[in-house]
Amino acid sequence: MLDSVKIAKRQSEIRQALAELVGKDKPTEDETRSMETMDTEYRNNEVRYRAALTAEDTERREAGADLETRSDREYAELVGRFELRQIAFALDEGRALSGATKEVVDELRNAGGYQGIPVPYAALETRAGETVSGADLPNPKAIRPVIDRIFPNSVAAKLGIERINITHGELAFPVATSGAVFGWQTDELSNVGAANPYETAERSLNPDHTGGAQMVITRKALKQSGEGLEAAIRRDLNAVIGAELDRVVISGAGGTEPLGIVPGAATYGITSTAIGAAASWAAFRAEVVAFMEANAITSPSQVNLAFDPAIWADLDEALIAGTAVSEWDRLTKHVGTPAISNVIPDASAIMTANVQGIAPGYLGLYGGVDLIRDPYTKAASGQLVLTGLVTADFTVPRGLQTRILTGLAA
């Protein structure tokens, strides 16, 4: 118990005792001496109480500052010690989880919604210093959590798409569709213009789309690979989930999967321009100008650009007449290095801009990976079938921040 609390409790006892003694008309000598003693103690306790509060105030502030950061820090440390091989053996043999792995799983289960064993996305990172036990298990090369790896090395990241982790429920983005207008007086007594209502529309992320990454682990791998198995599972889930999320951001068809940028252009209000000619800096420059005229950007360097490898080849091959400068050189001089990937549809390009801190698109990931065991499909050979369920959604808050070019072919 804190000293200040002890003193306050004692002061209350003294006040109660004094109240009983003061109420007597003729107190005895002992009672009079007792009142004097308690009065002296009470005054001394007041001094001690103020001193205790001063000393404890510093302790409270230090403890409060520690509590503000302890939760996130401790959870990150727990995830750093998360062992996927424990999950594999728990699903295969019913082995009990322990240590940091058990704590993280229990924390995720508190949010609910898992049929199997929940695995945090950050636990699928490829960690430094891992070794493998067989030639068929490749060496880890990156030190990144799965979500971070999906985006910095992907088209979605270079287009400025932002990832949001959602525990449960729906996340809505109110987007202004109408607002204030500026007007001048026509004469000294007239109004400056008609009032215009401020209106918004909502773009939402919903847990309506669930996909699964499946893998089969042989009995030999379970018995032989040891810690190398954990690295292999992590890399395998990392690669397949990352590639699919990157695809749906760009080309998701909607319905059973999230609606991506290209198929959802009309839904999101994205302008799509049919070029019908070979890719050139002039074609991209026209779209940059359109961004500027819409007050979305003030410099070409603020544009993010992505297209397929064939367009890169055409731009690099096309030389300006009488020079050794290619269309690719002109493009990268103003825009920077675009993302080149076959995730982008053939003969197409996507241009985005981050406006006032708002990303051109948001990918919502719900909770972690729900890892479920299938004990029947491969039971005859003792193989372990794992399914990692992922719930995700994608939306574009403002179509103004994205433009699509099609027909970029000679």
Side-chain angles (χ1 to χ4, degrees):
M1 186 182 297
L2 295 174
D3 289 338
S4 60
V5 177
K6 294 178 181 177
I7 295 171
K9 184 177 179 181
R10 175 56 183 161
Q11 294 293 75
S12 177
E13 294 172 352
I14 293 174
R15 285 194 297 270
Q16 184 176 355
L18 286 173
E20 295 175 357
L21 294 175
V22 170
K24 293 185 177 182
D25 293 333
K26 295 180 180 180
T28 64
E29 293 182 0
D30 291 339
E31 290 173 337
T32 301
R33 283 194 299 271
S34 177
M35 284 190 286
E36 293 174 351
T37 301
M38 286 190 287
D39 180 63
T40 302
E41 182 183 356
Y42 190 90
R43 290 197 300 271
N44 292 337
N45 283 347
E46 285 296 303
V47 176
R48 292 179 57 218
Y49 182 73
R50 290 193 295 272
L53 287 178
T54 301
E56 291 166 4
D57 182 60
T58 302
E59 295 177 8
R60 286 192 183 96
R61 284 200 300 269
E62 292 175 351
D66 183 52
L67 287 172
E68 288 176 359
T69 58
R70 182 184 300 170
S71 178
D72 292 341
R73 187 172 65 246
E74 288 184 349
Y75 185 73
E77 292 172 354
L78 286 174
V79 172
R81 301 199 305 272
F82 192 94
E83 296 180 342
L84 276 174
R85 67 178 180 274
Q86 282 199 41
I87 305 300
F89 284 119
L91 292 170
D92 183 50
E93 305 172 0
R95 189 180 301 182
L97 302 178
S98 62
T101 303
K102 182 179 186 302
E103 292 186 48
V104 172
V105 169
D106 290 343
E107 183 76 18
L108 289 172
R109 281 199 188 284
N110 288 335
Y114 297 100
Q115 299 178 36
I117 299 179
V119 177
Y121 286 96
L124 300 182
E125 67 178 345
T126 304
R127 300 168 185 168
E130 289 181 328
T131 58
V132 296
S133 59
D136 58 333
L137 298 177
N139 256 331
K141 295 182 179 179
I143 312 169
R144 278 212 177 262
V146 60
I147 298 308
D148 291 337
R149 178 180 169 190
I150 289 170
F151 286 90
N153 299 324
S154 74
V155 176
K158 293 189 177 180
L159 287 175
I161 304 302
E162 185 174 331
R163 186 266 306 176
I164 299 176
N165 194 272
I166 306 170
T167 304
H168 58 272
E170 178 182 346
L171 184 62
F173 299 89
V175 180
T177 57
S178 178
V181 295
F182 192 95
W184 294 99
Q185 287 182 320
T186 55
D187 58 63
E188 187 177 352
L189 300 178
S190 66
N191 199 338
V192 296
N196 196 45
Y198 185 87
E199 298 176 340
T200 62
E202 287 187 352
R203 295 291 191 187
S204 301
L205 292 172
N206 301 283
D208 296 335
H209 309 288
T210 297
Q214 292 189 318
M215 67 172 68
V216 178
I217 304 175
T218 65
R219 184 170 181 80
K220 178 180 179 181
L222 286 169
K223 302 299 182 183
Q224 191 178 48
S225 295
E227 293 187 4
L229 176 64
E230 178 177 344
I233 294 174
R234 186 181 302 122
R235 286 193 302 274
D236 204 26
L237 284 175
N238 185 325
V240 71
I241 293 174
E244 180 58 18
L245 291 179
D246 207 23
R247 184 194 68 80
V248 297
V249 165
I250 304 300
S251 303
T256 58
E257 63 186 31
L259 182 62
I261 292 174
V262 176
T267 301
Y268 297 134
I270 297 172
T271 300
S272 181
T273 305
I275 302 300
S280 66
W281 161 238
F284 294 113
R285 182 177 58 201
E287 299 304 314
V288 172
V289 171
F291 271 125
M292 291 180 171
E293 290 177 343
N295 295 319
I297 61 171
T298 57
S299 168
S301 61
Q302 294 175 265
V303 170
N304 306 307
L305 175 60
F307 44 67
D308 70 318
I311 291 179
W312 168 79
D314 291 341
L315 289 169
D316 190 58
E317 185 179 18
L319 297 179
I320 308 301
T323 71
V325 179
S326 67
E327 293 286 349
W328 172 255
D329 295 329
R330 297 179 69 191
L331 174 66
T332 54
K333 175 183 177 182
H334 296 284
V335 176
T337 304
I340 304 172
S341 173
N342 56 10
V343 172
I344 307 297
D346 294 343
S348 299
I350 299 175
M351 303 178 72
T352 65
N354 187 303
V355 180
Q356 297 174 340
I358 303 299
Y362 291 96
L363 175 64
L365 296 174
Y366 285 80
V369 179
D370 192 358
L371 202 58
I372 299 175
R373 175 198 181 194
D374 176 2
Y376 306 110
T377 304
K378 302 289 184 179
S381 60
Q383 298 178 66
L384 174 63
V385 180
L386 299 180
T387 300
L389 296 180
V390 175
T391 300
D393 196 16
F394 176 76
T395 191
V396 173
R398 291 193 295 205
L400 172 70
Q401 296 177 227
T402 304
R403 301 184 76 86
I404 300 173
L405 285 73
T406 61
L408 291 169

